[in-house]
Amino acid sequence: MTFDMIFVLSVLGVAVLLFVTEWLRVDLVALSVMLILSIFGFVNHHDAIAGFSNTAIVTIASVLVLSAGLVRAGVAQILGGHILKLSGDSELRLLVIMMVTVAILSGVMNNIGVAALMLPVVMEIAHRTGRSPSKLLIPLAFASLFGGLTTLIATAPNILISSALETVGLAPFELFDFTPVGLIAMTVGIIYLVVWGRHMLPDRDLGRLTSITDTLNGQYELNERLLTLSIPGDSALADKNLAETRLGSALGFNVLAIIRGENTLLAPGPDTELRTNDKLLVGGRREQVGVLQDWKTLTLKHGWLVGEHQLQQALKFAEFKIAPDSIYIGKTFKEAGTRNSFGFNILAVIQKNKVRVSRLRNYRFNKDDLLIAIGQTDKLDLMNSSKDFAAFKYVSARKIALKYKLHRHLIGIHIPRESALVSRSIARSHLKSALGINVLGINRQNKIHFMPSPQEELEADDILIVIGEPEILKILNSLQNLKLEEQIDTDLEHLESDEVGVAEITLSPRTSVIGKTIGELYFREKFGLSVLAIWRKDRAFRTNLRDFALEAGDALMVYGMREDLARLQQEDDFLVISGLDQPIYKKEKVLTASGIELGVLFTVAMGWLPIFIAALTGAVLMVLTKCLSMDEAYEAIEWRAIMLIAGMLSLGIAMGETGVTTLLAHHVLESFAFMGPQGILAGLFLVTCLFAQIMPTAAVAVLMAPIALITAGDMGLSPYALMMVVAIGSSSSFLSPVGHPVNLLVMGIGGYRFTDYTKVGLPLVILFGLIAVFVLPIFWPLQV
């Protein structure tokens, strides 16, 4: 084995590891692979980027736009809705009609798009018929995979293996070459799920109906977390808005309604003012009220607390603005990473002569605002040298006090010996987020420790030097004096109205929010909606959701104004599953979009145009006929998949040029040769299918296609038969939720566990393997 082969195999191994672990985004992995191979000379520089002009890339992007045009016109929604209504009350008929519909649609549209589009329809059918969604959603996902086997344009692996044939001088697959074997696989898959597989599906009714009563009393069990808090007559919370009360940040409560005499204010916003004797219906844990007792003994001190000379010796104050072309404009402090990059704290933001010192975590940099920073001289000098900041100048502590009155906001929080916060870190005390303060230092035995780490543990008699609103003590005392009442008899249906409602959402297949917390997304601030609960795998999470990092497959229950829910429906990151009417489609474009799609299919079937020209023509016509806007066309293209495929094509070239493809073909697939040609088919299907459970299917097709071609040449077998096996194996992602985006899409909504996919999917894999070995050769003879 040569050094070049070892290097390329190492790159392949690392890429597979990163695909499986998802430590890096798959498109970033693919682009990194492309650059590494090009920089180190394993692929010609021009060949490295040739993938971007590959006909498969053009075809895939065009098909995505065609699918978006059909979706926007409502073609699939109208067809799917009418056909599903024919199912009546029969579960068998429902499963068959639903899966046939989804599979047929997936044959002419992108299967991920079909699954995302049909998901709300299937959920509505489940709710209307009283069936558990978990009985329908895996069949929905698998049916979309079945349909991907029926035509050339149904899925990216089909297009890629056809392009690979063309690359080596062979005729590519035609549009319906996949149909005979694909229809048999689809039929077998549907029969299996109807006769046997449906009995292995879990029966988990997550209570996901569209009324709030069903939601709160369902498996989310939010009814157990409903509390009523009353505001005493002398409370400092009176005339404060909800944001100022810090109920959410201090206690993690969601305020669902305010009961004010005979009236009920539903889904109050952050700016809603409280009044004396209001009763707050909140969602949260009863024991969270006890957290306030940890702060019961805290006392506040006002004034500088530190002599000006002592402060000036340790830290400096500075004023600055954001440069007009700064990379930080529009970013929050955390997103900008200014504390980590420059080592300073933002004390205040001056907006139109108004000083803002609290809730700075929500602040986004604006070029017109003046900011006050505190930090060490060398750190501030570094900031001054950056082109992202402007109008920088040092100012004295006395000027800060006189000009901006910040001394009123400088507060000391005394930690007495009996406090429960002793020995807790600053982060675990939750004081910063709860009270909206910024910790500048700790006065410990008359010695000042400036800019303490969040992991710094508090000691008895510490005085935290913080900047915040002078009224935080009153707010804190008022929170401690809230009266927790026995649950009042509230008709939960009254929490909904024509303007207010509850909806369930999930992350879309093309979401960009995975790994981000609800707080980092500023979900409440951006959408005006409260996240009541998050369902992950088989468990509902209902507290401390602000710090909850989202994962693929999560389902979120949200509550708020219906107009805000409708606005959320327009977001690419989320899919609204229940609780809202379906989006408004361009129904007047149904015939136009359908005609364009049929024209593309007919042109390709007749051989008048190659697939990439016909599909691109159809995509352009979708825009010219206003089925889509140009922006919607760009948004329809899954750029992550495009980058993934283009990057991985360079790895395929490197594997071929260094002999890795030949090596793998000889040592992996030809080890099955003792069983004859059927043994080769079985080995090729097994390897491809196993890769498809852990890697993006497009990457699997790119890697396995050259191996299949080498094996076909060495063993004297038909390359078309072996490439068709690669197509079947790539679409057999039935064993795990991570095998395909459609599996992840239904995981949270269906309440599925990892093992649910394995139990239902393993017999399917065996059946598809038998089809690949024994049925496929009938239509694609093995011998050349």
Side-chain angles (χ1 to χ4, degrees):
M1 187 180 293
T2 66
F3 171 78
D4 288 357
M5 297 172 73
I6 294 173
F7 187 91
V8 172
L9 279 172
S10 299
V11 171
L12 172 61
V14 172
V16 171
L17 176 65
L18 292 174
F19 284 146
V20 174
T21 59
E22 296 184 344
W23 290 338
L24 294 175
R25 287 170 49 128
V26 294
D27 49 349
L28 182 59
V29 172
L31 291 175
S32 300
V33 166
M34 179 188 73
L35 293 172
I36 289 171
L37 294 174
S38 177
I39 292 170
F40 287 95
F42 291 93
V43 177
N44 177 280
H45 297 321
H46 292 286
D47 290 340
I49 62 172
F52 291 102
S53 61
N54 190 285
T55 57
I57 293 289
V58 177
T59 305
I60 291 168
S62 301
V63 168
L64 290 170
V65 175
L66 284 169
S67 297
L70 292 172
V71 170
R72 194 70 183 88
V75 173
Q77 180 72 17
I78 293 170
L79 179 63
H82 282 304
I83 293 179
L84 287 175
K85 287 178 182 178
L86 298 176
S87 62
D89 295 328
S90 169
E91 182 175 342
L92 287 177
R93 188 166 39 185
L94 173 61
L95 273 177
V96 171
I97 293 178
M98 182 266 290
M99 286 190 286
V100 169
T101 302
V102 171
I104 291 174
L105 290 173
S106 296
V108 294
M109 295 173 60
N110 174 264
N111 55 4
I112 301 174
V114 171
L117 180 70
M118 297 299 292
L119 184 55
V121 178
V122 174
M123 289 292 291
E124 178 62 27
I125 293 292
H127 297 154
R128 180 172 57 81
T129 59
R131 291 185 174 88
S132 169
S134 64
K135 287 290 188 180
L136 299 176
L137 294 183
I138 277 183
L140 165 69
F142 286 2
S144 71
L145 297 178
F146 300 160
L149 288 169
T150 56
T151 66
L152 172 63
I153 64 172
T155 188
N158 297 359
I159 298 170
L160 289 167
I161 63 172
S162 180
S163 176
L165 287 169
E166 197 171 14
T167 301
V168 297
L170 297 172
F173 285 121
E174 295 182 359
L175 180 63
F176 295 113
D177 281 348
F178 293 81
T179 306
V181 177
L183 282 177
I184 291 173
M186 183 185 83
T187 303
V188 169
I190 291 174
I191 292 174
Y192 157 74
L193 284 171
V194 170
V195 174
W196 180 258
R198 67 188 178 96
H199 298 294
M200 292 187 286
L201 291 168
D203 187 8
R204 301 192 185 107
D205 188 356
L206 304 184
R208 294 191 170 108
L209 301 184
T210 56
S211 76
I212 196 166
T213 301
D214 294 321
T215 299
L216 296 178
N217 291 318
Q219 189 149 334
Y220 278 116
E221 297 177 347
L222 286 169
N223 57 321
E224 298 178 1
R225 302 291 175 90
L226 284 182
L227 307 172
T228 304
L229 302 173
S230 62
I231 299 177
D234 57 349
S235 175
L237 299 182
D239 300 323
K240 301 288 184 186
N241 62 40
L242 278 177
E244 292 170 331
T245 66
R246 313 201 65 81
L247 270 169
S249 55
L251 298 176
F253 285 164
N254 278 317
V255 180
L256 303 181
I258 299 174
I259 302 170
R260 183 171 294 163
E262 298 296 323
N263 300 318
T264 300
L265 305 179
L266 300 180
D271 297 327
T272 302
E273 288 191 354
L274 300 180
R275 296 180 185 173
T276 300
N277 298 322
D278 276 352
K279 296 183 185 297
L280 311 181
L281 185 64
V282 302
R285 299 175 63 180
R286 183 177 294 266
E287 50 267 36
Q288 284 295 104
V289 180
V291 171
L292 294 172
Q293 305 311 312
D294 293 342
W295 305 338
K296 197 76 174 179
T297 56
L298 298 179
T299 56
L300 303 191
K301 301 175 181 293
H302 292 275
W304 275 116
L305 302 171
V306 183
E308 180 183 348
H309 65 283
Q310 188 178 6
L311 188 65
Q312 291 280 54
Q313 286 178 352
L315 301 172
K316 298 290 185 182
F317 291 96
E319 296 176 348
F320 69 96
K321 290 186 175 183
I322 302 297
D325 57 348
S326 173
I327 62 173
Y328 298 130
I329 290 179
K331 292 184 178 180
T332 65
F333 293 150
K334 184 171 183 178
E335 291 170 346
T338 50
R339 175 158 185 171
N340 293 333
S341 300
F342 298 101
F344 65 82
N345 261 346
I346 304 293
L347 289 185
V349 177
I350 315 301
Q351 296 174 305
K352 298 179 181 179
N353 295 321
K354 185 177 180 181
V355 180
R356 175 177 174 178
V357 297
S358 64
R359 299 177 65 192
L360 292 181
R361 64 178 295 170
N362 300 335
Y363 171 78
R364 294 183 180 274
F365 283 111
N366 186 311
K367 63 182 178 65
D368 297 323
D369 296 339
L370 181 68
L371 293 95
I372 311 299
I374 186 171
Q376 297 174 342
T377 304
D378 58 336
K379 303 295 185 183
L380 293 175
D381 285 343
L382 179 63
M383 182 186 77
N384 187 25
S385 65
S386 171
K387 63 181 178 60
D388 291 306
F389 304 106
F392 178 93
K393 65 178 180 179
Y394 285 107
V395 292
S396 68
R398 185 174 297 278
K399 181 179 179 181
I400 290 290
L402 294 176
K403 184 176 181 180
Y404 301 116
K405 314 298 184 186
L406 284 186
H407 63 287
R408 298 177 181 175
H409 300 278
L410 199 65
I411 302 165
I413 301 179
H414 177 240
I415 313 294
R417 293 185 176 276
E418 64 272 19
S419 173
L421 298 182
V422 173
S423 299
R424 288 191 193 177
S425 66
I426 294 175
R428 287 185 57 237
S429 73
H430 300 297
L431 287 171
K432 184 174 180 179
S433 60
L435 301 179
I437 57 177
N438 197 356
V439 180
L440 304 182
I442 300 176
N443 186 334
R444 181 171 293 161
Q445 297 178 353
N446 294 321
K447 184 177 180 180
I448 308 298
H449 301 270
F450 290 105
M451 306 280 285
S453 163
Q455 283 69 47
E456 178 78 25
E457 289 190 357
L458 300 175
E459 297 182 5
D461 291 322
D462 276 353
I463 298 178
L464 282 178
I465 304 171
V466 305
I467 190 164
E469 295 293 348
E471 294 182 324
I472 61 172
L473 181 58
K474 289 183 179 179
I475 297 292
L476 183 58
N477 288 336
S478 297
L479 288 175
Q480 291 169 340
N481 292 327
L482 283 174
K483 183 180 179 182
L484 179 61
E485 298 188 353
E486 293 299 323
Q487 180 60 47
I488 61 175
D489 185 17
T490 302
D491 186 351
L492 297 181
E493 290 290 353
H494 292 166
L495 294 180
E496 279 192 305
S497 68
D498 292 338
E499 293 79 27
V500 177
V502 65
E504 187 175 29
I505 66 174
T506 189
L507 306 188
S508 73
R510 58 194 301 178
T511 187
S512 61
V513 303
I514 291 174
K516 296 181 180 179
T517 67
I518 299 296
E520 289 170 344
L521 294 174
Y522 298 97
F523 192 91
R524 169 73 169 168
E525 293 81 2
K526 183 177 181 181
F527 300 112
L529 301 170
S530 297
V531 179
L532 302 182
I534 296 177
W535 184 272
R536 175 172 297 169
K537 297 177 182 176
D538 58 347
R539 181 184 172 189
F541 296 86
R542 293 155 296 196
T543 54
N544 299 320
L545 297 181
R546 188 175 184 85
D547 299 321
F548 204 90
L550 296 176
E551 295 181 3
D554 285 348
L556 289 73
M557 189 61 68
V558 297
Y559 177 69
M561 303 298 293
R562 294 191 188 277
E563 62 183 23
D564 292 328
L565 293 171
R567 188 158 50 90
L568 183 65
Q569 201 170 36
Q570 307 304 316
E571 290 289 314
D572 288 337
D573 290 318
F574 302 99
L575 289 174
V576 178
I577 303 304
S578 62
L580 276 184
D581 294 332
Q582 295 304 307
I584 299 174
Y585 297 103
K586 296 181 178 180
K587 293 184 179 180
E588 71 279 6
K589 298 294 183 181
V590 167
L591 294 179
T592 303
S594 301
I596 293 171
E597 178 73 15
L598 291 173
V600 170
L601 297 176
F602 184 75
T603 302
V604 174
M606 296 300 294
W608 295 344
L609 288 174
I611 180 67
F612 60 93
I613 293 296
L616 183 58
T617 302
V620 172
L621 287 174
M622 285 290 187
V623 176
L624 290 177
T625 58
K626 300 188 183 303
C627 294
L628 288 174
S629 68
M630 199 64 188
D631 288 340
E632 288 172 332
Y634 281 124
E635 291 171 1
I637 298 173
E638 180 51 73
W639 294 106
R640 183 180 303 189
I642 298 298
M643 297 300 164
L644 166 68
I645 295 167
M648 292 305 292
L649 285 172
S650 64
L651 179 57
I653 295 172
M655 290 172 61
E657 292 183 352
T658 58
V660 169
T661 301
T662 303
L663 177 72
L664 292 176
H666 288 168
H667 287 78
V668 178
L669 293 184
E670 293 184 13
S671 60
F672 293 89
F674 72 94
M675 292 186 290
Q678 265 76 20
I680 296 294
L681 294 183
L684 181 60
F685 175 82
L686 179 63
V687 173
T688 305
C689 180
L690 290 177
F691 272 133
Q693 310 309 318
I694 58 175
M695 288 173 55
T697 54
V700 174
V702 169
L703 293 178
M704 294 304 299
I707 296 175
L709 290 172
I710 291 291
T711 303
D714 290 349
M715 304 296 293
L717 301 175
S718 166
Y720 295 99
L722 269 62
M723 294 293 265
M724 195 63 70
V725 172
V726 172
I728 296 174
S730 297
S731 292
S732 299
S733 306
F734 306 125
L735 298 179
S736 76
V738 298
H740 199 279
V742 296
N743 292 346
L744 276 176
L745 180 65
V746 302
M747 186 179 185
I749 298 298
Y752 296 122
R753 302 185 180 97
F754 191 102
T755 53
D756 292 328
Y757 292 87
T758 307
K759 286 191 300 185
V760 181
L762 183 57
L764 259 181
V765 168
I766 295 173
L767 289 172
F768 274 42
L770 293 174
I771 291 172
V773 173
F774 297 108
V775 178
L776 185 145
I778 298 173
F779 300 93
W780 298 94
L782 290 176
Q783 301 303 321
V784 178

